[in-house]
Amino acid sequence: MRTQVAIIGGGPAGLLLSHLLHLQGIDSVVLESRDRGYVERRQRAGMLEQGTTDVLRESGAGERLDREGLVHHGLELRFGGAGHRIPLTDLTGRTVTVYAQTEIVKDLVAKRLADGGDVRFETEVVDLDASAPSVTFRDAGGATHTLECDYIAGCDGFHGVSRPAVPGLRTFSREYPFAWLGILADVPPSTEELIYANHDRGFALHSLRSPQVSRLYLQVSPDEDIAAWSDARIWDELATRFATDDGWKLHEGPITDKSITPMRSFVAEPMRHDRLFLAGDAAHIVPPTGAKGLNLAVSDVIVLARALTERYATGSDTLLDTYSSTCLRRVWRAEHFSYWMTTLLHVDPAADDFALRLQRSHLDYVASSEAAKASLAENYTGLPIG
């Protein structure tokens, strides 16, 4: 078996890379360990930067996004019993769009299969060679195959096989003393724009999935037992943390999914070894507060697709040679913004009164300073790619 680019991982990063390469006449094979149903149901991020929506539209994969995505022109910081709107579009000229990762994956799978793409589900990668590029994998029937290629893209997430195949990696990480308890609920959202709430009892986020489905989060302990959180307790705690002095009400409804997600920051450098290139969660993780995880994965594969296109079109390795440094500039900026948003809004259980007063002062500053609002808006809607 042979292809030009072997892509390990059939999430949004791997699928989008395959689609972008196809548009440039470059062949690829996508190898995904899970079955198609699992991949298309996997709950993940849902806030898209302007650059992410632009590339999906320009690549022809944005039809349903344009029809069903919820475009936002602002967000709300809520603390001290009051809301403070950050007018994203007024400050940057850009928007963000709520459109679940599950839907992006469905769109890209359908697009690749309709275009004759080679997407192989239930394939376990057992070995890879970055120097004489090849990937050995076991298919759903247990048969072993070797896929020879020119390049390998490791888009297989934090726990995948690609990152361990890069020798001499330098890693940077931070664990946070809290986690998110997230729910999906069949209830119309109580807000038209996201609400990021800081409360003495902890952080809360009101997001959206559709006009009929709400996505909400609570700060909890990393070792929290989800069984201890009944639906009634979750709604009571959300109502407490979102409460305002003007009597704002939270809509409640049936909870269809609940989970607890730990919070971490992680970066691996470099993002390339020989002909193996890491992208997305295989190379970096951000806490979800800044809504950067999916968007960083997309920016990585945009940069990689451009570099591979140049290589096949002109024979030049220039963009491939600068892939890691180009991506890492944006990664570290997003890491800092995500860290900043996380520490700005969450309550550190070890914080003393002095630290809590500093946090409130910082929130007051962001809510009242046009310069601070503009900085938040610029980072939140997305910096230039590449």
Side-chain angles (χ1 to χ4, degrees):
M1 298 174 60
R2 175 157 182 78
T3 190
Q4 290 174 290
V5 182
I7 300 173
I8 306 174
L15 292 166
L16 179 60
L17 177 60
S18 178
H19 178 54
L20 295 176
L21 294 177
H22 166 73
L23 295 177
Q24 300 300 322
I26 300 169
D27 292 332
S28 66
V29 175
V30 178
L31 304 172
E32 166 57 43
S33 63
R34 300 285 191 165
D35 62 72
R36 179 177 177 179
Y38 179 92
V39 170
E40 294 185 341
R41 290 190 304 268
R42 187 164 43 192
Q43 292 293 332
R44 291 292 187 272
M47 179 60 72
L48 310 184
E49 295 175 355
Q50 179 82 59
T52 298
T53 57
D54 286 347
V55 75
L56 290 171
R57 292 187 182 104
E58 292 165 4
S59 70
E63 180 181 348
R64 202 158 64 91
L65 164 67
D66 284 333
R67 189 169 64 248
E68 300 178 13
L70 305 176
V71 177
H72 287 195
H73 299 278
L75 61 82
E76 180 183 323
L77 298 182
R78 185 174 291 189
F79 59 93
H84 308 268
R85 186 173 186 267
I86 309 298
L88 301 174
T89 304
D90 291 347
L91 291 166
T92 66
R94 300 192 295 271
T95 63
V96 292
T97 302
V98 172
Y99 189 65
Q101 176 175 309
T102 50
E103 306 311 309
I104 295 173
V105 169
K106 290 174 188 175
D107 295 342
L108 289 171
V109 168
K111 194 75 176 171
R112 291 305 299 122
L113 296 181
D115 291 338
D118 194 343
V119 181
R120 304 191 179 205
F121 296 101
E122 299 181 85
T123 58
E124 178 190 2
V125 173
V126 295
D127 191 27
L128 61 90
D129 185 337
S131 300
S134 66
V135 178
T136 302
F137 65 93
R138 187 177 298 112
D139 65 24
T144 299
H145 310 270
T146 296
L147 174 64
E148 296 181 350
C149 53
D150 300 328
Y151 301 97
I152 303 170
C155 305
D156 50 343
F158 185 77
H159 299 289
V161 300
S162 298
R163 189 176 67 254
V166 178
L169 271 179
R170 187 178 183 190
T171 61
F172 308 81
S173 63
R174 170 159 297 186
E175 301 289 332
Y176 295 88
F178 32 75
W180 276 11
L181 191 164
I183 66 166
L184 275 175
D186 284 340
V187 59
S190 308
T191 177
E192 294 183 355
E193 297 178 337
L194 271 70
I195 302 172
Y196 287 81
N198 169 269
H199 188 274
D200 293 344
R201 295 177 62 86
F203 169 77
L205 171 62
H206 192 324
S207 184
L208 310 83
R209 279 297 177 264
S210 75
Q212 294 79 37
V213 178
S214 297
R215 181 73 159 156
L216 301 105
Y217 300 91
L218 285 167
Q219 175 187 339
V220 296
S221 171
D223 59 359
E224 196 75 35
D225 181 6
I226 198 167
W229 286 86
S230 66
D231 291 6
R233 183 187 178 192
I234 291 172
W235 287 119
D236 286 346
E237 190 64 27
L238 285 166
T240 297
R241 297 190 194 184
F242 285 123
T244 60
D245 295 338
D246 62 6
W248 182 90
K249 296 296 184 183
L250 176 68
H251 302 156
E252 299 182 12
I255 294 176
T256 59
D257 181 78
K258 64 178 75 170
S259 61
I260 291 181
T261 303
M263 307 278 280
R264 72 162 70 94
S265 298
F266 176 86
V267 180
E269 298 183 0
M271 292 172 58
R272 176 191 181 179
H273 169 61
D274 211 332
R275 296 197 172 201
L276 167 64
F277 298 82
L278 304 180
D281 287 1
H284 42 74
I285 298 286
V286 291
T289 325
K292 293 298 158 203
L294 172 61
N295 295 292
L296 276 181
V298 169
S299 65
D300 287 348
V301 300
I302 290 172
V303 173
L304 184 53
R306 289 173 181 166
L308 290 167
T309 298
E310 179 187 71
R311 176 64 179 84
Y312 283 113
T314 71
S316 172
D317 285 329
T318 300
L319 294 184
L320 287 175
D321 290 341
T322 58
Y323 167 76
S324 181
S325 59
T326 298
C327 290
L328 285 169
R329 281 195 299 271
R330 199 173 197 271
V331 166
W332 278 112
R333 175 85 292 277
E335 289 283 354
H336 181 264
F337 176 68
S338 300
Y339 164 84
W340 178 80
M341 284 281 283
T342 300
T343 54
L344 176 69
L345 291 161
H346 290 72
V347 176
D348 187 335
D352 57 19
D353 289 343
F354 182 79
L356 294 173
R357 288 298 182 94
L358 289 179
Q359 183 185 46
R360 177 54 60 88
S361 174
H362 197 171
L363 282 164
D364 285 333
Y365 171 68
V366 173
S368 60
S369 165
E370 291 304 308
K373 290 178 186 177
S375 177
L376 191 162
E378 180 184 41
N379 283 274
Y380 194 83
T381 57
L383 298 173
I385 297 173

